[in-house]
Amino acid sequence: MQVNVDRESRTPLYLQIKNQIRQLILSHSLQPGYRLPPERKLAAALGVNRSTVVNAYRELEADGLIESHVGRGTMVNFIPGGEAGEELYLTLPPVWRNFYSSRAGRMNNPFISNILDMVAREDTISFALGVPAQEFHPVEYFSSIISGLMNKEGSALFEHGPTAGHYPLREYLAGYMAKRAIQAGPENIIILSGSQQGLDLAAKVFIEPGDAVVIEEHTYMGAIQVFAAAGARIFSVPMDEEGLQVDVLEQVLARYRPKFIYTQPTYQNPSGIAMSLARRRELLRLAYRFHVPVLEDDPYSELHYEGGFLPSLKSLDTSDHVIYLSTFSKVISPGLRLGWLAAPSDLARQLLMAKQLDDLHCNTLAQSVVNEFCRAGLLQAHLAMVREEYRKRRDAMLASLEEFAPPGLCWSRPAGGFHIWCSLPEGVHAGALLSRAVEKKVTFVPGDVFCANAGGTDRLRLSFSRCSETIIREGIRRFCTVLSKMINTGHGLDEAARQRQDLGQLF
Amino acid sequence: MQVNVDRESRTPLYLQIKNQIRQLILSHSLQPGYRLPPERKLAAALGVNRSTVVNAYRELEADGLIESHVGRGTMVNFIPGGEAGEELYLTLPPVWRNFYSSRAGRMNNPFISNILDMVAREDTISFALGVPAQEFHPVEYFSSIISGLMNKEGSALFEHGPTAGHYPLREYLAGYMAKRAIQAGPENIIILSGSQQGLDLAAKVFIEPGDAVVIEEHTYMGAIQVFAAAGARIFSVPMDEEGLQVDVLEQVLARYRPKFIYTQPTYQNPSGIAMSLARRRELLRLAYRFHVPVLEDDPYSELHYEGGFLPSLKSLDTSDHVIYLSTFSKVISPGLRLGWLAAPSDLARQLLMAKQLDDLHCNTLAQSVVNEFCRAGLLQAHLAMVREEYRKRRDAMLASLEEFAPPGLCWSRPAGGFHIWCSLPEGVHAGALLSRAVEKKVTFVPGDVFCANAGGTDRLRLSFSRCSETIIREGIRRFCTVLSKMINTGHGLDEAARQRQDLGQLF
């Protein structure tokens, strides 16, 4: 008899036991006459009090499903059919996990949803969110654009639109990308409900369970999760300061014949690394040689603070191997839920088939607003402003780290994007540090979240985009205080590190 | 040697042949020394002119990939490695279909995307779109709600929000559903990017390739397609004027143990049928008996024109078997891309995991606008208005059909919703009729689109929601003229029917 208890459920334990036995009886898995285990024995097997099982059996007996016989134990009753039986069925809700697909079993990490819930928490200094600062959303412009559109377009703003997206916006994006040496016509472009949707569409169109996919050693968690949910075998290729290590990549491509290489070449999340031009060319050459498409995720390239604009893989691609993905979430506002992709025509058509079954098309008003915003030249002006501001915030965070960091903490110096990637002193576990930091009202994202496999527990991501320079300094001060205390007291350190610490205190 | 030609492609045939052989050579599928088939033979096999193959071979020879030897035929050259070889790789784009998943192969029906492209075509009277009339979108209210929100909330309207949706809107929906006897708290509700997303989430969470799913004999095409793409075996249960035939359903449930029953009990799309109360209860009893969840899609229940509001399956569900799905697309405006689902807590949590990987969350502004609209009591007022208007349109279409229909055309008389479901005179194929109707500037949706399997070619759907009464009369006049002409001339009728027609003309 298979019965489990879930101690985290709100359903009392006795009721969990009762419900499961009831279902086993009603589904005829336990036949009339079957002898239930003695209360004491079942209690021991489940690790619950005997009284819990007693209560469960008592209720089952009251429902007429089982009967106790002195000397013979407790047995399953014969359940009459007809009305009485049906009434019993009526009271038994489904155990939903019995109905789930294997894909559902691979979708069990609530991290993204949890982090989104934290957006509006005000008492804590958050370096956890890699999104634009609320105060930079161009609300005034949006306001006047919307009233203008309402007068001009009226009800058309609430109509269905094409699955591929608002045509003028696709046309704008074709021109915008052309200026960055990407050749893509409106027919190659699909407007997405955020670039997350592009990852989902790519997973749907490419990934068969068991297929190999290549990612960077640490990367955007939403990509890892969506590829994993689709059943991909995920191969992480290490990075150095020039980006993806192409010599390792070559071996992985030769060995595993992946469906695609997922990469963020420019100001990678979480590392902030910008892939060198030589590496970009080498990556493409390998993609061509091994006939492997490249999914280039490029949310940050406009947010460069030094060194100028870097060419995308798509712009270097002479053989249509690159699928380009970007978003308005980082350069304008994430609540718009708008991104886009550019793909060769054949593939764009197939991605469109997938998109129509996802959500038909994106919000019509949002697409029109962004189109007007961009065409009025406001995107360029906005970018000039935020680049300047985010550069200051980056510098403030780097300076605060210089000022407060205890020995052993290392960090990156990104030329663009939103993130600083830290490596912790030996023995400090990012998860343990986070729980202490939360108490002191400062948060970040621990590194393991960005890793497909084990690893990353000695790393963490600090995002500087959402806090003013003053707040950044205070947040880094708190963060470093927590970290220093952890190192100095040894509390929360890994066992091995604590032992070394103890030895150190002896001498 | 595997070479295919695609006559619908824009790539010239000779180039298609050249590219494929080139890829075979570069991927080493054709080894150096391999003898290519003679030009004449390959031309015959592919059904192309000999000169097409000659041109293909000539280009391959010019690229140094093959060589003709008098008396020995055409052979694959040895390709040197290094720079020259790599240059060749650089010019060869991927054949994308070689990379697709089996799911992608099941996503090949562009119907929804095509119909969305037709939204704004003005020269034709369209009975094809089952969406609200453009003139009823509450633009004035939206306009003032948005300016109010912009002043009050400002930048918060462009921030990330929770994956489950804007909390006040979920709270409103909990109250709204409670008035319809559905018990669901905000924690049971997920705001969706249209109810299409709910279908996609259900497919992801429940369907393993090969799983059985039960649908109604004819139903929403987006549901059929998303279940089919997920690899479901789809079983259609026939309907009569009371809805799903539960006696047949019972057999299907007993035989195939489906993952869920997908049903639109109220003013079903396309049939307009409202399931009787007795059938609803019987359907639930069967769901309980066979332990099968029910996915209730309820877009139309508020759009009732006679007979009052019908209880949803969810409101009758005493055992948490029903997942409830609805949308703002039919009662307010489809361009908002907002719908919602209500599910038992365990399941809601799992659906949320899937939603976070789809698009993180829905457009923030749209959710706030709808929340304000509903909470100001405007939804109820709007519904009262549109019910009245759509009832007139339905009556106009019914009256026009009475006036113009040729003998043999039958149609439904729906008590709510947007659709009239027609059955064509014997021998008239809805697809053939549509191509003639389009010429005469009137459109509808042929019935086969709503069927998972063969069938429906003698049915069609006329949607009355988007046209004024005058336009409806003119459209139905055109439609009936085309149909009558087809019957009277026999052109375009099925062969069997034409023969009977000929016989009829003889006597």
Side-chain angles (χ1 to χ4, degrees):
Chain A
M1 189 178 78
Q2 191 67 43
V3 174
N4 305 302
V5 293
D6 175 2
R7 278 158 213 288
E8 285 172 26
S9 162
R10 292 197 199 159
T11 312
L13 292 175
Y14 85 94
L15 215 51
Q16 293 184 34
I17 297 170
K18 178 200 160 185
N19 287 341
Q20 289 176 69
I21 297 178
R22 167 184 262 178
Q23 188 176 30
L24 290 169
I25 295 172
L26 293 176
S27 63
H28 307 296
S29 301
L30 298 183
Q31 297 287 334
Y34 176 87
R35 191 165 303 173
L36 293 178
E39 288 146 356
R40 194 179 305 272
K41 208 167 154 188
L42 182 57
L46 295 174
V48 300
N49 291 333
R50 181 166 172 265
S51 61
T52 305
V53 178
V54 169
N55 284 335
Y57 280 16
R58 196 170 289 159
E59 291 227 351
L60 288 164
E61 190 155 10
D63 288 352
L65 289 170
I66 60 172
E67 215 173 302
S68 294
H69 303 267
V70 178
R72 287 195 297 152
T74 307
M75 295 197 320
V76 172
N77 266 348
F78 174 75
I79 315 291
E83 282 308 306
E86 277 172 4
E87 284 308 311
L88 284 171
Y89 283 120
L90 291 181
T91 59
L92 188 73
V95 178
W96 288 100
R97 65 173 176 277
N98 294 343
F99 292 91
Y100 292 164
S101 66
S102 51
R103 177 184 291 258
R106 296 184 296 256
M107 296 188 295
N108 48 20
N109 185 338
F111 190 86
I112 295 176
S113 164
N114 289 351
I115 210 170
L116 290 169
D117 283 343
M118 280 166 35
V119 170
R121 202 170 291 175
E122 281 178 10
D123 55 339
T124 290
I125 298 179
S126 173
F127 300 137
L129 286 166
V131 292
Q134 179 166 355
E135 63 270 27
F136 299 158
H137 297 324
V139 181
E140 310 279 299
Y141 289 124
F142 283 164
S143 214
S144 74
I145 287 170
I146 293 175
S147 14
L149 279 169
M150 284 289 196
N151 290 332
K152 202 175 60 174
E153 310 270 342
S155 57
L157 297 167
F158 302 96
E159 287 274 276
H160 269 313
T163 299
H166 189 47
Y167 191 83
L169 180 57
R170 282 186 283 147
E171 211 176 39
Y172 169 81
L173 285 170
Y176 166 88
M177 288 192 288
K179 285 190 198 134
R180 284 148 192 81
I182 296 176
Q183 296 204 348
E187 71 284 2
N188 299 109
I189 296 170
I190 300 176
I191 308 293
L192 303 168
S193 303
S195 62
Q196 181 68 41
Q197 186 176 49
L199 299 172
D200 182 61
L201 296 181
K204 278 180 171 149
V205 163
F206 289 111
I207 300 175
E208 197 68 30
D211 275 352
V213 162
V214 172
I215 63 169
E216 287 155 333
E217 160 178 33
H218 29 70
T219 191
Y220 171 53
M221 56 197 118
I224 299 174
Q225 286 188 29
V226 84
F227 303 154
R233 287 178 305 147
I234 296 177
F235 294 93
S236 304
V237 170
M239 303 178 75
D240 58 25
E241 65 282 3
E242 280 195 71
L244 206 61
Q245 294 186 16
V246 280
D247 48 345
V248 183
L249 176 66
E250 179 171 1
Q251 295 179 33
V252 172
L253 296 185
R255 179 82 186 79
Y256 298 107
R257 302 172 156 269
K259 275 292 177 73
F260 56 78
I261 303 161
Y262 171 73
T263 174
Q264 297 173 64
T266 308
Y267 317 133
Q268 204 244 10
N269 173 11
S271 68
I273 292 169
M275 196 183 289
S276 68
L277 187 59
R279 285 279 174 87
R280 287 172 198 242
R281 292 198 194 280
E282 188 55 30
L283 186 153
L284 286 175
R285 195 152 33 211
L286 289 173
Y288 301 157
R289 176 137 71 93
F290 291 99
H291 298 285
V292 177
V294 177
L295 179 54
E296 175 179 31
D297 193 357
D298 187 34
Y300 298 108
S301 61
E302 288 283 12
L303 300 164
H304 48 83
Y305 315 131
E306 56 195 51
F309 192 84
L310 288 161
S312 63
L313 293 170
K314 183 79 175 163
S315 70
L316 301 171
D317 178 17
T318 55
S319 182
D320 259 4
H321 275 61
V322 178
I323 308 149
Y324 181 83
L325 197 58
S326 193
T327 177
F328 293 107
S329 293
K330 310 294 180 180
V331 293
I332 309 183
S333 303
L336 297 164
R337 306 308 310 124
L338 287 181
W340 77 95
L341 65 80
S345 315
D346 278 5
L347 177 60
R349 246 189 316 274
Q350 184 62 55
L351 290 164
L352 197 69
M353 295 291 143
K355 161 86 178 163
Q356 72 176 346
L357 298 183
D358 252 31
D359 60 4
L360 307 186
H361 62 87
C362 298
N363 182 285
T364 310
L365 175 62
Q367 293 185 74
S368 290
V369 170
V370 167
N371 179 53
E372 296 288 324
F373 184 79
C374 292
R375 284 178 181 264
L378 294 169
L379 176 60
Q380 291 313 316
H382 183 71
L383 280 170
M385 182 274 283
V386 293
R387 266 182 217 124
E388 189 56 30
E389 295 299 322
Y390 291 138
R391 191 186 51 70
K392 286 187 210 155
R393 291 178 179 199
R394 177 201 62 167
D395 292 345
M397 189 173 274
L398 291 171
S400 307
L401 283 166
E402 285 292 347
E403 185 178 354
F404 298 116
L409 180 69
C410 301
W411 58 91
S412 67
R413 197 183 182 290
F418 285 162
H419 315 292
I420 288 177
W421 186 229
C422 301
S423 153
L424 288 165
E426 211 189 330
V428 182
H429 187 284
L433 179 62
L434 178 60
S435 53
R436 284 165 173 74
V438 167
E439 282 170 27
K440 300 295 176 192
K441 307 284 185 202
V442 59
T443 64
F444 56 83
V445 181
D448 56 332
V449 164
F450 304 98
C451 295
N453 311 314
T457 55
D458 59 341
R459 300 289 185 99
L460 59 87
R461 189 189 78 176
L462 298 171
S463 300
F464 51 79
S465 52
R466 283 180 67 88
C467 306
S468 72
E469 293 156 70
T470 322
I471 300 285
I472 284 174
R473 188 166 183 278
E474 169 59 16
I476 292 296
R477 196 192 58 75
R478 289 186 200 173
F479 166 77
C480 291
T481 306
V482 173
L483 175 59
S484 301
K485 193 169 170 199
M486 205 165 148
I487 297 168
N488 295 336
T489 63
H491 295 312
L493 293 189
D494 286 350
E495 198 50 41
R498 190 158 46 235
Q499 281 172 7
R500 276 188 298 278
Q501 185 95 11
D502 291 345
L503 282 173
Q505 284 170 350
L506 279 175
F507 294 102
Chain B
M1 190 178 75
Q2 189 67 44
V3 174
N4 304 301
V5 293
D6 175 1
R7 280 160 210 290
E8 287 172 27
S9 162
R10 290 193 199 161
T11 310
L13 293 175
Y14 86 93
L15 216 50
Q16 293 183 33
I17 297 169
K18 177 201 157 183
N19 286 341
Q20 288 174 70
I21 296 178
R22 166 184 263 181
Q23 188 175 31
L24 290 169
I25 295 171
L26 292 177
S27 63
H28 307 296
S29 300
L30 298 183
Q31 297 286 334
Y34 176 87
R35 193 164 302 173
L36 293 176
E39 289 147 356
R40 193 180 306 274
K41 208 166 154 188
L42 182 57
L46 296 173
V48 299
N49 290 333
R50 181 167 171 265
S51 61
T52 304
V53 177
V54 169
N55 285 334
Y57 281 16
R58 195 169 291 159
E59 291 227 353
L60 288 164
E61 191 156 10
D63 289 351
L65 289 169
I66 61 172
E67 215 173 303
S68 294
H69 303 267
V70 177
R72 288 196 294 154
T74 306
M75 294 196 323
V76 172
N77 267 349
F78 174 74
I79 315 291
E83 281 309 305
E86 277 172 3
E87 283 309 309
L88 284 171
Y89 283 121
L90 292 179
T91 61
L92 189 74
V95 179
W96 288 99
R97 65 172 177 278
N98 294 342
F99 292 91
Y100 292 165
S101 65
S102 51
R103 177 184 293 256
R106 297 184 295 256
M107 295 189 295
N108 48 19
N109 185 339
F111 190 85
I112 294 176
S113 165
N114 289 349
I115 210 171
L116 290 169
D117 284 344
M118 281 166 35
V119 169
R121 203 170 287 176
E122 281 179 9
D123 55 338
T124 289
I125 298 179
S126 174
F127 300 138
L129 286 167
V131 292
Q134 180 167 354
E135 63 271 28
F136 298 158
H137 297 323
V139 181
E140 311 278 300
Y141 289 123
F142 283 163
S143 215
S144 74
I145 287 171
I146 293 175
S147 8
L149 278 170
M150 283 290 196
N151 290 331
K152 203 175 57 172
E153 309 269 343
S155 56
L157 299 167
F158 302 96
E159 288 274 276
H160 270 311
T163 300
H166 189 46
Y167 191 83
L169 180 57
R170 282 187 283 147
E171 208 177 40
Y172 170 82
L173 284 169
Y176 166 88
M177 290 193 286
K179 286 192 195 130
R180 285 147 191 82
I182 295 176
Q183 296 205 346
E187 71 283 3
N188 298 110
I189 296 170
I190 300 175
I191 309 294
L192 303 167
S193 302
S195 62
Q196 181 70 40
Q197 186 176 49
L199 300 172
D200 182 61
L201 296 182
K204 277 182 171 148
V205 163
F206 289 112
I207 301 176
E208 197 68 30
D211 275 351
V213 162
V214 172
I215 63 169
E216 287 156 333
E217 146 177 49
H218 28 71
T219 191
Y220 171 53
M221 56 197 118
I224 298 174
Q225 286 187 31
V226 84
F227 302 154
R233 290 179 302 148
I234 296 178
F235 295 94
S236 304
V237 170
M239 302 178 75
D240 59 24
E241 65 282 1
E242 279 194 72
L244 206 62
Q245 294 186 19
V246 280
D247 47 347
V248 182
L249 176 65
E250 179 170 1
Q251 295 179 32
V252 172
L253 296 186
R255 179 81 186 79
Y256 298 106
R257 302 170 157 270
K259 274 293 176 73
F260 56 78
I261 304 161
Y262 171 72
T263 175
Q264 297 173 66
T266 307
Y267 316 133
Q268 204 244 9
N269 173 12
S271 69
I273 291 170
M275 195 184 289
S276 68
L277 188 58
R279 285 279 172 88
R280 287 172 197 242
R281 291 194 194 281
E282 187 55 28
L283 186 153
L284 285 176
R285 193 146 39 206
L286 289 173
Y288 300 157
R289 177 135 73 91
F290 291 99
H291 297 286
V292 178
V294 177
L295 179 53
E296 175 178 33
D297 193 358
D298 187 34
Y300 298 108
S301 60
E302 288 283 11
L303 299 164
H304 48 83
Y305 314 131
E306 57 196 49
F309 192 84
L310 287 161
S312 64
L313 292 171
K314 183 78 176 164
S315 70
L316 301 170
D317 178 17
T318 55
S319 181
D320 259 4
H321 274 61
V322 178
I323 307 150
Y324 181 83
L325 197 56
S326 192
T327 178
F328 294 106
S329 293
K330 310 296 180 180
V331 294
I332 310 183
S333 302
L336 297 165
R337 306 309 308 125
L338 287 180
W340 77 93
L341 66 77
S345 315
D346 278 3
L347 178 59
R349 245 191 314 272
Q350 184 63 56
L351 291 164
L352 197 69
M353 296 290 141
K355 161 87 178 162
Q356 72 176 348
L357 298 183
D358 253 31
D359 60 3
L360 307 187
H361 62 86
C362 297
N363 183 285
T364 309
L365 175 63
Q367 294 185 73
S368 290
V369 171
V370 167
N371 178 54
E372 296 287 323
F373 184 79
C374 292
R375 284 178 182 263
L378 294 169
L379 176 60
Q380 291 313 314
H382 183 71
L383 280 170
M385 183 275 282
V386 293
R387 267 182 214 123
E388 189 57 29
E389 294 300 322
Y390 291 138
R391 192 187 50 69
K392 286 187 209 155
R393 291 177 177 197
R394 177 201 62 169
D395 292 345
M397 190 172 272
L398 291 170
S400 308
L401 283 165
E402 284 292 348
E403 185 177 352
F404 299 114
L409 180 70
C410 301
W411 58 90
S412 66
R413 196 181 182 293
F418 286 161
H419 315 292
I420 289 177
W421 186 228
C422 300
S423 152
L424 288 164
E426 211 187 331
V428 182
H429 187 282
L433 179 62
L434 178 59
S435 51
R436 285 166 172 75
V438 167
E439 283 171 25
K440 300 295 176 195
K441 308 283 183 205
V442 59
T443 64
F444 55 83
V445 181
D448 56 334
V449 164
F450 304 99
C451 295
N453 311 315
T457 56
D458 60 339
R459 299 290 185 96
L460 60 87
R461 188 190 79 176
L462 298 171
S463 300
F464 51 79
S465 52
R466 282 181 68 87
C467 306
S468 72
E469 293 157 68
T470 322
I471 300 286
I472 284 173
R473 188 167 182 277
E474 171 58 17
I476 292 296
R477 195 191 59 73
R478 290 185 199 172
F479 166 77
C480 291
T481 306
V482 174
L483 176 58
S484 301
K485 193 169 170 201
M486 204 164 148
I487 297 168
N488 294 337
T489 62
H491 295 312
L493 291 189
D494 285 351
E495 198 49 40
R498 190 155 50 232
Q499 282 174 6
R500 277 189 298 278
Q501 185 93 10
D502 291 346
L503 281 172
Q505 283 169 351
L506 278 174
F507 294 103

